[in-house]
Amino acid sequence: MGADPSDVHDRSHDGAGLGRPGAPGDGCRVLVVEDERTIAANLHEYLSARGFEVALAHDGAAAIARLGAETVDAAVLDLGLPRVAGGEVLGRLRRA
């Protein structure tokens, strides 16, 4: 069961804006691994607008390749991925 959306506080509307030192997205690199390109684009737009640097991968093999070449601070990972399952990507991410 997912998180209750009412429990999530969106700081983008309460004056805790980005661009200030220590803002949530400052300097954080997020790998978004999602095979549905519309969802990936929406996540990219949302996170980028909040100051995160976003890298995209559209399948598990591409995600593993990026993890071997780049450093990320966090990941948004779809578990149902083509080529390499999301669980395998998660295991690689944990070892990275």
Side-chain angles (χ1 to χ4, degrees):
M1 184 174 246
D4 180 353
S6 65
D7 292 339
V8 177
H9 179 70
D10 182 356
R11 295 170 46 119
S12 64
H13 301 291
D14 67 1
L18 296 172
R20 295 187 322 191
D26 287 353
C28 290
R29 185 158 176 83
V30 178
L31 175 62
V32 172
V33 187
E34 173 57 66
D35 60 319
E36 295 289 336
R37 292 184 184 259
T38 301
I39 294 171
N42 288 340
L43 286 167
H44 184 279
E45 181 180 341
Y46 182 87
L47 293 168
S48 294
R50 282 151 183 80
F52 293 90
E53 291 181 41
V54 181
L56 292 176
H58 297 294
D59 62 56
I64 290 170
R66 291 202 86 141
L67 290 171
E70 302 174 33
T71 301
V72 298
D73 299 300
V76 177
L77 176 62
D78 180 3
L79 294 178
L81 295 169
R83 297 182 65 200
V84 177
E88 175 66 21
V89 175
L90 179 59
R92 301 272 183 111
L93 181 62
R94 286 180 173 164
R95 292 188 295 270

